[in-house]
Amino acid sequence: MIYVPANMGLMLAAILFLLGLIGVLTRRNVLFILMSLEIMLNAAGLAFVVAGAHWMQADGQVMFIFILTMAAAEVSVGLALILQMHRHHKTVDTNVLNLLKD
Amino acid sequence: MQIIFYIAALVAIVSTAMVITRKNAVHALLYLIVSLLAVSVIFFIMGAPFVAALEVIVYAGAIMILIIFAIMMLNLGQASEKREKEWLKPRTWIGPGILAAILLAELIYTLNSFSPSAHEQAIIDAKDVGMSLFSTYALGVELAAMMLMAGIVGAYHIGHEKQKEYHRYLQKEEKL
């Protein structure tokens, strides 16, 4: 396999994580927020795999499998919550959920 | 041969940037799938073929299909697209964007300043991962199973549409 420098891989993971973070901070559509969360989880998994490849251990990939499991559980519960939000408020705009504001 | 990694990384970054700037949810989802595929290519290059396959099957397959079904059920129309366009003005995202770019520049400087030892990349295949997963991390596997069970029950309970308690004749009367 091709040797990839570990700092380049970690840099890519950082860039992807920050793009996901920007998405979470700027979007108001809760569906896009969920997608950005997926991007961030994926970037964290990429960092684990890069580290595992750097030290030639299988632990990084094991951690990626755990992250994958967590992402699947998170997205299923999150989508159920979005469906309930759409059912009650007829919108997916997070600004509408301001019950705790005053 | 490292150029393959850089091309895949560029594809991943560009497609992820497209995900967070699209107004239409389905377009964003297509870009997200491209991004996940690019990350999968990077996993394969780095000698992790098992995880590359899992990335395609579970992330780009199962989770994205789940989100597509949610988009179909939500049925977002033209109005929401217009509203998203209104929100995506530069003044809403320029601040967080600049701050995140500063953090990124610092991180890149830090990562470049340490020199990695040059060695040949070894392949860690599914056998090694499985041996580690079911011996050292057996407790983690059981915890993950419990979490998935809780996720299934929770998603069913939250997504469950509440039944109306009263009879349908009474419902008709209420409508009048």
Side-chain angles (χ1 to χ4, degrees):
Chain A
M1 286 290 118
I2 304 158
Y3 174 67
V4 175
N7 53 355
M8 285 299 164
L10 288 177
M11 214 181 285
L12 175 66
I15 292 170
L16 290 182
F17 190 88
L18 280 171
L19 282 173
L21 187 63
I22 292 169
V24 169
L25 290 175
T26 54
R27 302 305 296 251
R28 261 87 151 198
N29 190 332
V30 72
L31 208 57
F32 282 92
I33 292 177
L34 203 66
M35 273 189 231
S36 303
L37 280 176
E38 290 298 312
I39 294 170
M40 287 165 75
L41 282 174
N42 194 40
L46 176 63
F48 269 114
V49 173
V50 168
H54 184 245
W55 279 286
M56 288 182 279
Q57 296 287 323
D59 301 329
Q61 299 189 31
V62 171
M63 284 302 156
F64 182 80
I65 292 173
F66 286 149
I67 289 177
L68 202 67
T69 316
M70 201 204 68
E74 174 252 333
V75 81
S76 60
V77 175
L79 285 174
L81 281 171
I82 292 176
L83 284 181
Q84 281 294 342
M85 178 184 172
H86 188 253
R87 205 172 280 155
H88 285 271
H89 298 279
K90 302 288 173 225
T91 179
V92 285
D93 172 12
T94 47
N95 282 349
V96 173
L97 303 179
N98 53 4
L99 203 65
L100 288 177
K101 203 168 154 187
D102 351 274
Chain B
M1 286 303 281
Q2 272 189 25
I3 191 75
I4 297 174
F5 168 76
Y6 292 114
I7 293 170
L10 195 68
V11 169
I13 292 168
V14 170
S15 57
T16 309
M18 296 295 262
V19 171
I20 62 172
T21 51
R22 290 306 92 183
K23 287 138 202 152
N24 193 323
V26 179
H27 297 173
L29 203 60
L30 290 175
Y31 277 115
L32 184 52
I33 290 174
V34 173
S35 163
L36 293 174
L37 291 180
V39 173
S40 165
V41 167
I42 290 166
F43 285 162
F44 189 76
I45 288 170
M46 287 193 311
F50 179 56
V51 161
L54 273 185
E55 172 98 5
V56 174
I57 295 167
V58 180
Y59 253 120
I63 296 179
M64 292 303 118
I65 293 297
L66 207 61
I67 296 181
I68 281 178
F69 275 126
I71 291 172
M72 282 165 59
M73 289 176 82
L74 292 180
N75 195 15
L76 305 173
Q78 293 291 102
S80 99
E81 201 170 319
K82 203 180 291 172
R83 206 172 53 220
E84 287 285 313
K85 195 182 283 179
E86 213 167 80
W87 283 337
L88 278 180
K89 289 203 176 103
R91 62 178 172 79
T92 58
W93 55 261
I94 199 82
I98 288 174
L99 292 176
I102 291 170
L103 282 177
L104 185 63
E106 281 182 343
L107 197 61
I108 284 174
Y109 178 74
T110 315
L111 285 174
N112 264 333
S113 58
F114 98 101
S115 59
S117 59
H119 54 75
E120 198 60 39
Q121 189 70 48
I123 298 176
I124 303 164
D125 59 359
K127 189 187 170 193
D128 301 326
V129 178
M131 295 286 277
S132 181
L133 188 61
F134 289 107
S135 59
T136 318
Y137 293 98
L139 182 66
V141 172
E142 287 173 17
L143 285 175
M146 275 184 219
M147 188 192 62
L148 276 179
M149 192 67 216
I152 290 170
V153 174
Y156 174 75
H157 182 75
I158 295 168
H160 188 70
E161 198 161 4
K162 296 284 181 296
Q163 293 289 330
K164 296 226 165 60
E165 301 92 35
Y166 42 84
H167 200 262
R168 60 181 185 275
Y169 292 126
L170 295 175
Q171 200 175 346
K172 201 183 282 174
E173 216 169 21
E174 198 183 58
K175 210 181 279 173
L176 287 173

